[in-house]
Amino acid sequence: MIPPADSLLRYETPVLVSRNTEKRSPKARPLKGSPQVAAPPGPVPSPKGKVPSPSVDPTKQAEEILNAILPPREWVEENQLWIQQVSSTPSTRMDVVHLQEQLDLKLQQRQARETGICPVRRELYSQCFDELIREVTINCAERGLLLLRVRDEIRMTIAAYQTLYESSVAFGMRKALQAEQGKSDTEKRIAELEDEKRDLERQVNEQKAKCEAIEKRELERRQVEEKKHTEEVQFLKRTNQQLKAQLEGIIAPKK
């Protein structure tokens, strides 16, 4: 495993831990929040007797809280287990100023974006906030625990927004794919309708041509019929005049 990268959170000097015996350096603090208290040598006192409660060391209590809030880092290098715990040294005003300078420097070196979503900027500000929690916890454990709650709440809110963002992106992708598929189906339907339209237009033109041909033929036939009718009327008129004249010629001598 590669050793962890440099962080804005202040750590102690790494401690080599034996993998076989699981022993740590005597200067190392307990890794768990509630360390085991070794029983004093000698006979166990009777339960009826009153044993004075040992006084709690504020420094150890702060270290335990630090270990619970900010767990130590562990990594394996050359088959050796190394542990690095957060520093319990109080910070001065100059340390805070130096932390601000280091934050600005790392933001510039890692080319973090000033606006928008940037994982690099978020990581650096998270490290800076953890360092502030460490500094406050050393001076006042209650403030540190309250800041821990604030940090966890912020992380849960960010995780919820991230989940919402990912689900919205997935929803948008599904809608885009559906729209793309619907677009292809619509384009296919449009092509089919255009073919049907051209076929119908062709049929309309054919029917118009047939209608025009029928009208022309009927017009010619009507003209022929009208001419024939006119000739018949004229013939009948002439016949009628001739018969009238013959009738008058027959009737006239008898008078």
Side-chain angles (χ1 to χ4, degrees), residues 112-230:
R113 288 180 292 182
E114 296 182 0
T115 58
I117 299 175
C118 180
V120 175
R121 188 179 75 246
R122 176 185 171 188
E123 177 187 357
L124 292 177
Y125 274 96
S126 178
Q127 294 177 5
C128 182
F129 194 64
D130 288 342
E131 172 62 19
L132 293 178
I133 292 177
R134 184 195 70 83
E135 296 175 1
V136 172
T137 304
I138 294 174
N139 295 327
C140 180
E142 290 76 10
R143 293 177 186 173
L145 294 175
L146 184 58
L147 285 177
L148 176 65
R149 291 181 58 185
V150 173
R151 185 198 69 178
D152 294 340
E153 177 63 25
I154 292 174
R155 288 183 177 179
M156 285 191 299
T157 304
I158 294 177
Y161 280 125
Q162 185 176 1
T163 303
L164 180 62
Y165 171 76
E166 292 175 354
S167 61
S168 63
V169 169
F171 178 78
M173 290 296 296
R174 288 196 302 270
K175 286 298 182 181
L177 292 176
Q178 292 176 1
E180 190 67 24
Q181 183 178 3
K183 180 181 178 182
S184 61
D185 296 340
T186 305
E187 290 177 350
K188 184 178 179 181
R189 179 60 178 167
I190 289 174
E192 293 176 353
L193 291 176
E194 288 179 350
D195 294 339
E196 185 178 356
K197 175 187 174 184
R198 285 192 293 268
D199 185 47
L200 292 175
E201 288 177 350
R202 180 181 56 79
Q203 295 180 10
V204 168
N205 293 330
E206 292 177 355
Q207 296 298 327
K208 284 183 178 180
K210 290 181 180 180
C211 183
E212 291 176 357
I214 293 172
E215 288 178 353
K216 184 178 180 181
R217 186 169 61 251
E218 289 296 323
L219 179 61
E220 292 177 353
R221 187 181 62 81
R222 186 169 62 250
Q223 290 176 355
V224 172
E225 292 290 337
E226 288 178 355
K227 183 179 179 181
K228 184 179 179 181
H229 178 69
T230 303

Side-chain angles (χ1 to χ4, degrees), residues 236-251:
L236 291 175
K237 284 182 178 180
R238 287 194 303 268
T239 304
N240 187 25
Q241 291 295 333
Q242 291 176 0
L243 293 174
K244 184 178 180 180
Q246 290 178 2
L247 182 61
E248 290 177 353
I250 294 173
I251 296 174

Side-chain angles (χ1 to χ4, degrees), residues 12-69:
E12 297 283 1
T13 304
V15 178
L16 175 61
V17 179
S18 175
R19 300 185 63 182
N20 296 328
T21 58
E22 295 293 337
K23 293 182 179 179
R24 295 188 298 273
S25 173
K27 295 183 180 180
R29 298 193 306 272
L31 298 181
K32 296 184 179 180
S34 57
Q36 298 179 354
V37 180
V44 179
S46 174
K48 297 181 180 180
K50 293 184 179 180
V51 180
S53 60
S55 60
V56 179
D57 189 359
T59 304
K60 287 188 177 181
Q61 184 179 6
E63 291 177 356
E64 293 174 1
I65 296 176
L66 280 177
N67 286 331
I69 295 177

